Amino acid sequence: MEIKKNGNNINIYDEEKLTLHIDRRDDIFTAINDSVKISAKIEKISDTTTKFSDVSLKRMNLSGKMLKNTSQKWTRHYTAWLESVCREYGLL
């Protein structure tokens, strides 16, 4: 696995294939991988507490098309994932 940082962007490669792209612009974080694209405004309230707003989630369907997903279950799941990868790579 190779990690390339470029300003507010982080690209993670597995050999030659891009597996995860993380971007930060104006406190809006976006993470994209093979099956999901999630964007959210993340406000850090304390070291352990964050607040999410303006969440947008797109998941890939079986035919390979990215579709908007508004399910609460998946939104909670992927916002937690977005927060964890942003913390892991030092963006939060």
Side-chain angles (χ1 to χ4, degrees):
M1 183 165 43
E2 181 182 358
I3 300 169
K4 292 184 179 178
K5 293 185 180 182
N6 181 11
N8 289 331
N9 297 326
I10 296 175
N11 294 315
I12 301 163
Y13 295 88
D14 186 13
E15 294 178 20
E16 295 295 317
K17 184 180 180 212
L18 178 65
T19 57
L20 178 62
H21 171 79
I22 307 168
D23 181 62
R24 177 183 181 185
R25 287 192 190 135
D26 301 325
D27 293 330
I28 297 176
F29 295 84
T30 303
I32 305 168
N33 68 12
D34 290 344
S35 60
V36 70
K37 175 182 179 183
I38 183 163
S39 299
K41 185 170 187 177
I42 302 176
E43 184 179 337
K44 190 172 179 181
I45 296 171
S46 70
D47 287 341
T48 58
T49 309
T50 52
K51 178 183 172 186
F52 292 92
S53 59
D54 302 328
V55 177
S56 171
L57 174 63
K58 290 185 178 181
R59 293 182 60 216
M60 186 157 320
N61 68 4
L62 295 175
S63 64
K65 191 174 185 182
M66 289 291 237
L67 300 174
K68 188 174 183 176
N69 190 306
T70 57
S71 162
Q72 277 292 355
K73 172 188 171 185
W74 291 114
T75 301
R76 278 194 301 268
H77 174 79
Y78 283 112
T79 52
W81 173 74
L82 176 63
E83 180 181 15
S84 71
V85 295
C86 288
R87 284 186 190 275
E88 181 178 347
Y89 295 107
L91 292 175
L92 274 181

